[in-house]
Amino acid sequence: MSAPLLEIKELDKTFHANGNEVQALQNINLDIKDGEFVTVIGPSGCGKSTLLRIIAGLDADYEGTALLSGEPIAGPGIDKGFVFQEPRLFPWLTVEQNIAADQSLRNPKIREKVQELISLVKLDGFEKSYPRELSGGMAQRVAIARALLRNPKVLLLDEPFGALDAFTRSHMQEALLDIWEKNKTTMIFVTHDLDEAVVLANRIVILKPRPGEIRRIVKVDLPFPRKKASASFQEIRYKVLSEFERIEELTLGESGAGI
C-alpha cells in the first residue's frame, strides 16, 4: 500500500496572546491519500481554518508532525495551492493576468497553461475581463485556476463558497467536482455547511471545539453527482448531523460543569 500524500500525527496548536494560552487543536491524527477529496467541518472556533493554514505551511508554530509526500511541511510552496474565502484578485489585472500571477504571459508555456486552466474552470471568452466585470462565482473560479497554475500536490480551500447565494454555490460545487475529477488534484475543503460537506467529499472530517479534536471521520461512498433528496444522501447527512448534536451536548455539558 502506498504512503499517504498527507500525514498529520499528534498535532497540537496553541495560540499565545496577552499572557493567555488558547489551545486551538489537540492530538490531530489524519492521513489523506493522493487524489482524495476531503471536507473538514465543525462548529465555529473548532480550528478548521487553523488546520488548513498549518497544512499550507502558513503556520509553523505547532507541536507534532505534518508531512506532505513524506517531507515535513516547512512553509508555503508551489506544492500547495490555497483558495481563500474571498477571491483576492488584483482589480487592475485581467482574468488571464490574475491566473498567471507573477508568471509572464509572454512565455508560450505559461500562456498555454493559463488557457488550459481558463477552459478547465469554464471561463472561455472572459480572458480579458477584469474582476469588476465578473460575478462572485466567476471570480472564485479565477482564484481556483490561479491556485492550480503550478500543479500543486494538494489544493486547500477555506470556505470558498461561503459568500455566494445558494444557486451560485450549487453550481460552484458542481464546477469544483468537475475540476477535481479532470485534474486529479487532492483537495481539502473547509466548510461550515453540512450539505456541502456531503455533496463534495470522499471523507468528512468532523472537528469538535475547545480545543479542536477529530470527533469522527465519515466515509461518503456515494456516486457523483449526488442528489440531496436521495435516501443514501440523507443517511450520510444524518450521521454527520448526529455528531454535531452530540458535540453540542458535550459542549453544553462542559460549560455547565463550571457553573
Side-chain angles (χ1 to χ4, degrees):
M1 184 179 295
S2 59
L5 175 68
L6 178 70
E7 299 174 81
I8 298 174
K9 305 294 183 187
E10 299 179 354
L11 189 145
D12 296 330
K13 169 64 184 179
T14 301
F15 287 104
H16 303 270
N18 301 319
N20 297 318
E21 291 188 353
V22 177
Q23 189 165 6
L25 296 170
Q26 177 175 283
N27 195 33
I28 301 295
N29 292 277
L30 179 64
D31 289 347
I32 294 178
K33 299 177 183 177
D34 188 21
E36 268 198 289
F37 198 131
V38 173
T39 54
V40 181
I41 191 169
S44 297
C46 70
K48 300 186 297 293
S49 295
T50 299
L51 178 60
L52 211 64
R53 287 178 60 83
I54 289 172
I55 297 171
L58 298 173
D59 187 342
D61 183 19
Y62 61 86
E63 296 180 357
T65 303
L67 305 175
L68 184 63
S69 297
E71 297 293 328
I73 297 174
I78 62 173
D79 54 352
K80 301 176 288 292
F82 203 107
V83 180
F84 296 90
Q85 294 179 20
E86 61 284 336
R88 299 191 180 185
L89 304 181
F90 297 109
W92 59 88
L93 298 182
T94 63
V95 164
E96 62 182 3
Q97 290 169 336
N98 265 289
I99 294 172
D102 60 344
Q103 304 290 303
S104 175
L105 287 168
R106 295 178 182 175
N107 183 326
K109 291 184 179 180
I110 297 300
R111 178 168 288 281
E112 181 181 1
K113 178 65 175 178
V114 167
Q115 190 57 53
E116 288 176 0
L117 289 168
I118 286 172
S119 296
L120 183 66
V121 299
K122 298 181 180 178
L123 284 176
D124 292 289
F126 291 90
E127 292 87 346
K128 306 297 183 183
S129 299
Y130 288 91
R132 65 178 179 275
E133 300 170 316
L134 305 176
S135 67
M138 293 168 72
Q140 276 295 33
R141 291 187 190 209
V142 176
I144 292 168
R146 180 176 58 190
L148 291 171
L149 180 67
R150 291 179 171 86
N151 297 314
K153 294 178 180 178
V154 59
L155 184 62
L156 307 163
L157 304 104
D158 189 5
E159 299 193 44
F161 307 151
L164 304 178
D165 63 82
F167 184 77
T168 304
R169 187 170 190 150
S170 179
H171 277 278
M172 285 301 298
Q173 290 165 0
E174 293 175 7
L176 186 62
L177 283 171
D178 187 50
I179 292 167
W180 172 64
E181 290 177 338
K182 289 179 179 177
N183 224 42
K184 308 302 181 185
T185 302
T186 304
M187 296 195 183
I188 304 175
F189 188 107
V190 163
T191 181
H192 64 272
D193 186 283
L194 193 154
D195 283 346
E196 184 167 68
V198 181
V199 164
L200 296 174
N202 298 135
R203 289 189 297 155
I204 302 171
V205 177
I206 304 170
L207 296 182
K208 78 175 193 68
R210 304 174 190 173
E213 292 183 88
I214 295 178
R215 169 73 183 175
R216 185 177 178 184
I217 298 178
V218 176
K219 185 177 181 180
V220 187
D221 191 16
L222 300 177
F224 295 104
R226 293 168 178 169
K227 304 298 183 182
K228 295 181 181 179
S230 70
S232 55
F233 186 99
Q234 290 301 317
E235 182 180 352
I236 298 292
R237 188 184 190 280
Y238 179 76
K239 286 183 182 179
V240 180
L241 180 60
S242 296
E243 290 298 333
F244 267 79
E245 291 175 345
R246 180 59 179 154
I247 288 170
E248 186 177 8
E249 291 172 2
L250 290 171
T251 302
L252 290 173
E254 291 170 359
S255 300
I259 297 175

